[in-house]
Amino acid sequence: MKDRPPEEEFDLRARAEFSLAYDVDGIPAHLFRHTPLLARRGVQLAAAMFLAVGVAAGTFLALRPPELVRGAIEDEYYERTLRGSFIDTPTLLTHMGLGGHGTVPGHAQLMRPCEIDHRLAYHLTTFLDRGGLVTVFAFDPPVALEEGSGTWRGVYWQVVRSRGDGRPLILISEKKQALVVAHTVFARVPA
């Protein structure tokens, strides 16, 4: 014991404090630091990522055209190179709401019945002067589609009401100018 230096006041006080310390098992729960769940950085990052994904998905879904318009765009894409008349002109004009008499507007490229989303549709692809190539779809029986327009996968689309009976028509083209001309040819003029 003679090898040890004499204890100083600090040593005595430290030894006394350690003797009063709690056992590891006996630490009171209120001494643990509780971080609220929303204050944790990982939870904040996860919430921010979830919010960002939700906004992106909502924006994407808001910009998508109605299901029938998407089906019409897909049908137009796969039948873009077809040519010919698979239906007589008066029947096509009647289903497009243009009356059963007269000629098809523009230079008809393709006239045929087809099926879009299990519904009978009448497909007309025509070349309009000062506009370009436009595809028009009419459904039988007429479907409930709101008027609107937009782009989807590099194609312009527009839903309008026909001149005759006001049935909805879907206009599709790769050129915006073609839709402007087609609107004047096929659509009802607002009163």
Side-chain angles (χ1 to χ4, degrees):
M1 291 227 172
K2 293 183 179 181
D3 300 351
R4 292 179 17 184
E7 291 187 351
E8 296 181 7
E9 187 179 332
F10 173 78
D11 294 328
L12 291 173
R13 205 175 312 149
R15 188 176 299 134
E17 290 291 329
F18 282 133
S19 69
L20 295 174
Y22 297 104
D23 290 334
V24 176
D25 294 343
I27 298 175
H30 70 277
L31 294 179
F32 290 115
R33 181 176 176 193
H34 291 289
T35 305
L37 185 64
L38 293 179
R40 295 180 183 171
R41 180 60 82 197
V43 172
Q44 290 174 347
L45 289 174
M49 290 297 292
F50 183 72
L51 182 65
V53 167
V55 167
T59 302
F60 174 75
L61 292 175
L63 295 177
R64 285 176 51 163
E67 185 176 342
L68 284 176
V69 173
R70 291 192 314 267
I73 290 171
E74 183 178 336
D75 186 75
E76 186 272 337
Y77 175 78
Y78 287 115
E79 295 181 355
R80 191 171 284 167
T81 58
L82 291 180
R83 298 292 180 256
S85 296
F86 301 95
I87 189 172
D88 59 332
T89 302
T91 305
L92 179 72
L93 292 176
T94 301
H95 288 291
M96 298 249 168
L98 300 174
H101 310 298
T103 60
V104 174
H107 306 282
Q109 306 290 313
L110 176 65
M111 298 186 317
R112 71 181 296 253
C114 57
E115 186 177 302
I116 298 174
D117 292 336
H118 308 293
R119 297 170 193 255
L120 178 62
Y122 292 92
H123 178 147
L124 167 66
T125 300
T126 185
F127 183 84
L128 299 173
D129 295 333
R130 297 178 289 122
L133 205 60
V134 66
T135 301
V136 183
F137 290 93
F139 293 90
D140 189 30
V143 295
L145 277 174
E146 296 293 323
E147 291 187 34
S149 63
T151 59
W152 180 251
R153 297 184 178 176
V155 176
Y156 295 97
W157 63 271
Q158 186 174 19
V159 176
V160 298
R161 299 280 170 205
S162 69
R163 288 181 172 268
D165 55 6
R167 71 175 54 212
L169 300 175
I170 299 174
L171 310 175
I172 298 171
S173 181
E174 291 182 343
K175 293 181 180 180
K176 194 168 190 171
Q177 178 62 28
L179 288 187
V180 172
V181 174
H183 187 274
T184 61
V185 173
F186 293 100
R188 175 184 288 178
V189 179

